[in-house]
Amino acid sequence: MKNTFLPISVLLFTTLLMYMGAGQQGILVPVRAGLEGFSPLTIGLFGTAYALGFIAGCYLIPVSLRRVGHIRTYGVVASIAAVGILLHGLLVHAEVWFVLRFAAGFSIAGAAMIIESWLNSRVSNETRGSVFSVYMIVYLFAVTSGQMSLVAFDPMMLDLFAVSAILFTLALIPTSLTKLPAPEVPARVELNLKHLFKLSPVGAAGAFMVGMANGSFGTLGPVYAQETGFDTSGVALFMSLALVAGALAQWPFGKLSDQIDRRIVIGSVGALGSVAGLAIVLFGAPGVVTLGLVSLFGVAAFSLYGLSVAHANDHAESSDFIMVSGGLLVLFGIGSAVGPLVSAALSMVMTSSGVFAFTAAMHGALALFAFYRMSQRDAVPDEEKDDFVGFARPTSPEAAVLDPRGDEHMEAKNDGDGPRV
């Protein structure tokens, strides 16, 4: 085990620093935007800009890697992230923030792709599962601790913007000094909507609808908590509880879905998310009840993406695993771009609780669609299923390569049976 993790410890430390900074800015920007009096629609546009930048990064970062390599490209994206978050605190203008959120999405997608491709180059099929698990634990801890750091600083001051920039800057040091050889350049993501929907209608619809719901929650959830009456520490706890609850709950849901028709689990979890969202709309108020309800919401919201990916890959050939997972990530990103705008418009009609009315509609629609599809197509036989692997949130297309379910694909690549997708 020591021989497995010691060579990649520098990459895991970089992951920790990077996602702590990402977690900080992810909650700080909508909180500060709410305090500055930006409208829900404007804040929704910030979420859309971030998602569009994320998609752009998935497509364009491989081009930079081919031209200048991993270390230089990582230096560029980390610098963009650090400068961008500082400019948020110095230039509080909606038009500027829209550009900065696009840059943030681009740089974080690029940084994740670089780190994950580096990790992929350092693992074998035998160690991929354990490395993937540790990577996801580091990711979850970093994002959660980054969100909770909001309690230590006044969001109206420059301090937390500066701390986030420091973390992104520090993340440059390990990668700049590493002796690890540069990995193979990842390919750009391919998106074939017709193929994905034909292959797995529930998987494709799930990735898109979960993107709609989770993008809305990530962008406008902090604003809802603010306007409901939570103080700064309450807002941080509100958002963190949802993520942690979902990350923990996806494992029992996933293991259950390995044993029965996954569409039953997807439909049931979607229904749970819909009920939780409606309950927040009806009963939300500062206190333990709302924190409990948002935890229940997170149980569903942050479990559904992993279930959707697993269901889609049950229908895919092993050689298509990476392409399918990358396409689903882009569908998630498209949903994350559209969702904040729709939920923001709804929030302007029915106050900030509109975000949870929207997530309830998305989760409910996914549940109905999953149950409907059960009448249209037989379940995948148990012996043909891939084992469930959890994703609280998608990070980059390279996570699909690190995913232990990609073993057969990697073996095919190593045997010369097919190119890396």
Side-chain angles (χ1 to χ4, degrees), residues 85 90 132 134 147 169 186 188 196 204-205 215 218 222 230 260 318 325-326 367 380 386 393 396:
I85 196 62
L90 295 173
F132 182 84
V134 171
Q147 290 181 338
T169 303
R188 284 178 288 184
L196 282 175
F230 284 97
I260 63 176
S318 60
S325 296
V380 177
D386 285 325
R393 289 177 179 172
S396 91

Side-chain angles (χ1 to χ4, degrees), residues 31 35 150 221-239 241 280 283-294 356:
V31 167
L35 293 173
L150 185 68
V223 178
Y224 166 83
Q226 276 180 303
E227 295 189 2
T228 301
F230 284 97
D231 58 15
T232 301
S233 60
V235 173
L237 184 61
F238 181 87
M239 297 299 293
L241 280 175
I280 293 174
F283 306 113
V288 176
V289 172
T290 301
L291 292 176
L293 289 174
V294 80
F356 286 103

Side-chain angles (χ1 to χ4, degrees), residues 166-254:
I166 289 170
L167 288 168
F168 280 114
T169 303
L170 289 175
L172 281 166
I173 297 174
T175 53
S176 298
L177 297 177
T178 185
K179 294 182 179 180
L180 294 176
E184 180 180 346
V185 175
R188 284 178 288 184
V189 179
E190 296 182 15
L191 179 61
N192 186 330
L193 286 176
K194 183 178 179 179
H195 172 71
L196 282 175
F197 276 99
K198 182 179 180 180
L199 179 74
S200 175
V202 172
F208 178 72
M209 291 182 181
V210 172
M212 296 267 280
N214 288 10
S216 299
F217 174 71
T219 301
L220 294 168
V223 178
Y224 166 83
Q226 276 180 303
E227 295 189 2
T228 301
F230 284 97
D231 58 15
T232 301
S233 60
V235 173
L237 184 61
F238 181 87
M239 297 299 293
S240 297
L241 280 175
L243 177 59
V244 172
L248 295 175
Q250 65 178 324
W251 294 106
F253 286 146

Side-chain angles (χ1 to χ4, degrees), residues 79-126:
S79 297
I80 291 173
V83 171
I85 196 62
L86 279 176
L87 289 176
H88 279 82
L90 295 173
L91 301 172
V92 187
H93 304 286
E95 298 82 3
V96 175
W97 276 28
F98 182 85
V99 176
L100 295 177
R101 295 318 293 155
F102 181 93
F106 178 88
S107 59
I108 291 174
M113 182 179 289
I114 292 166
I115 294 301
E116 288 167 2
S117 65
W118 229 322
L119 284 171
N120 287 328
S121 73
R122 306 303 301 172
V123 300
S124 64
N125 289 344
E126 291 73 25

Side-chain angles (χ1 to χ4, degrees), residues 184 319 408-421:
E184 180 180 346
S319 59
E408 293 183 39
H409 170 81
M410 297 302 291
E411 288 171 357
K413 173 199 167 199
N414 293 336
D415 292 340
D417 294 335
R420 180 179 179 179
V421 179

